[in-house]
Amino acid sequence: LQERRHSRGWHWWKTLLGLLYDPIHAVCVTALIQKIVLDQICDPDVSGNKPLELCAVGLCQFASTALLRWGDKVATENRGRTGGTRMVHRQQLFAKLLMLDAEELGRVKGHWWFYAGVNNVDLMAKDAYYQGFMVIQSAFGLALSIIMLLYVQLSKTLETEVEFGEGLAEAMALLAMPGISQIVMVILSFTLLWRNTRLGELLRKRMAGEAAWVDSLSWLCHAGLPLKSLASRIRARVDLRFTNESNYFVTYHKAARDWANDTLWCVKWLVNLAWI
C-alpha cells in the first residue's frame, strides 16, 4: 500500500479526497438538513419565511449532491485500479519472467505465473489497494458520526438553561459507552480476522485448484490443430482431468466461501450487538 501511494502520487490523494466527501454528505449534510427541516421549518411555533427557507435547504442539498458527484468523478478518474495497479504489476511480472534463467523457471510451474498475472494481480487491486481507501473512508465516517452525536447533544443543551460545561460533560458521558463499545468491537473484529488461519488455508487450496483448471483450459485453447491428432482415449483423459480439477476447485471454493461469509457475519453480529 505504501508503494502504491508513493507511485500514484497526487492521483492517490485526489482519489482519497473524492471518496471522503461521501461520508460528509451522508452523515453531516443530509442529517443537518433534515434536522433543520423538522425542528424549524415544519414547526408552526417557529416564525420565518418557510417557503424561502425550504428552497434554501433544498439548494444546499442539491449543491451537496453536486459535490458528491464531482468527488465520485474525481475518485473514479484517479483511482488507477487497472492502468495504475493491475497492468503495472503485470508489467513487473512480465519483466521478471524475461530475466529468469532456466533453473529459476523450472522451480515454478508455468500455470502459477499465469494465474498470478491474471487473478492475484486483480485481487491486489481490488482487495488490497482499493480497500485501503474504503477503510479510511469508513473510519472517517465513524469519526463524523461521533462528532454529529456530540453536536446534537450540545445543541439540545444550548436550547435549555443548562450551563455549557455541564452540557458538555453530559454529552461526553452519553457518548462514552457507545465510543468504548465501538472501540472494543473494532478490536474484537480485527482479532477474529487475524486468528482465522483456517480461511487462509482454504483460500490457498482454492487458488491451487483454480490455477490447475485455468492451466488446462489455456492449454486446450492454444493447442490448435495438433488436437486433431489426439486419440479418443487421450481426449477422454484430458476431459476427465479437467473435470477432476474443476471438482477440486469447486469443493474448496464452497468451503472458503462459507467460511468467509460466516466470518463476516461474526463481525456483523458484534457490530449489531454494540448498536443494541
Side-chain angles (χ1 to χ4, degrees):
L1 295 177
Q2 284 282 71
E3 187 273 334
R4 287 287 83 208
R5 183 174 66 84
H6 289 299
S7 62
R8 294 294 297 162
W10 178 235
H11 293 285
W12 190 92
W13 290 105
K14 291 171 71 175
T15 303
L16 181 61
L17 292 176
L19 290 173
L20 286 184
Y21 190 74
D22 192 351
I24 294 176
H25 173 80
V27 176
C28 297
V29 178
T30 303
L32 287 175
I33 288 178
Q34 290 177 351
K35 184 178 185 301
I36 293 172
V37 171
L38 294 176
D39 294 348
Q40 298 182 15
I41 300 178
C42 295
D43 191 352
D45 297 332
V46 179
S47 61
N49 191 342
K50 301 301 180 68
L52 182 61
E53 293 175 357
L54 192 60
C55 290
V57 295
L59 288 175
C60 291
Q61 182 71 21
F62 179 81
S64 180
T65 304
L67 284 175
L68 180 66
R69 168 66 183 122
W70 174 80
D72 179 75
K73 180 177 177 61
V74 170
T76 302
E77 292 178 350
N78 291 274
R79 62 190 183 189
R81 289 194 302 183
T82 298
T85 302
R86 290 187 179 96
M87 299 313 298
V88 169
H89 288 305
R90 286 166 182 162
Q91 178 65 35
Q92 293 172 348
L93 183 64
F94 192 86
K96 182 177 181 179
L97 277 171
L98 289 176
M99 297 179 64
L100 294 179
D101 55 27
E103 182 182 357
E104 293 172 329
L105 284 172
R107 294 177 183 175
V108 180
K109 294 182 179 179
H111 66 270
W112 279 109
W113 293 106
F114 183 80
Y115 183 81
V118 174
N119 190 73
N120 288 359
V121 168
D122 184 65
L123 293 177
M124 289 170 62
K126 294 189 302 183
D127 299 336
Y129 167 66
Y130 195 69
Q131 283 302 313
F133 290 112
M134 296 295 100
V135 170
I136 297 175
Q137 185 189 58
S138 300
F140 183 64
L142 178 61
L144 288 179
S145 300
I146 296 176
I147 293 173
M148 287 300 297
L149 289 173
L150 182 61
Y151 163 76
V152 171
Q153 185 62 33
L154 289 177
S155 64
K156 291 180 179 179
T157 302
L158 294 176
E159 292 175 358
T160 61
E161 297 181 355
V162 180
E163 295 184 0
F164 180 79
E166 296 179 2
L168 180 61
E170 182 181 355
M172 295 302 295
L174 290 175
L175 290 176
M177 287 305 298
I180 294 174
S181 63
Q182 288 178 350
I183 294 174
V184 172
M185 292 303 104
V186 170
I187 294 175
L188 290 177
S189 299
F190 276 103
T191 303
L192 178 63
L193 295 175
W194 185 263
R195 292 173 60 87
N196 197 356
T197 57
R198 172 63 176 166
L199 178 59
E201 179 184 354
L202 292 174
L203 289 175
R204 283 191 294 270
K205 291 183 177 180
R206 186 185 71 170
M207 183 175 65
E210 190 172 16
W213 74 256
V214 166
D215 179 53
S216 297
L217 181 61
S218 176
W219 171 82
L220 183 64
C221 294
H222 291 87
L225 291 178
L227 285 175
K228 300 296 182 180
S229 61
L230 293 180
S232 300
R233 183 177 60 182
I234 302 299
R235 292 171 183 264
R237 290 183 60 184
V238 171
D239 183 63
L240 180 62
R241 173 185 172 182
F242 184 78
T243 301
N244 293 334
E245 291 170 347
S246 300
N247 292 335
Y248 180 89
F249 164 71
V250 170
T251 299
Y252 284 102
H253 169 73
K254 290 180 178 179
R257 176 201 62 194
D258 296 340
W259 197 273
N261 189 60
D262 293 341
T263 304
L264 179 62
W265 264 102
C266 290
V267 177
K268 288 182 178 180
W269 271 111
L270 290 174
V271 173
N272 282 273
L273 288 174
W275 181 83
I276 293 173

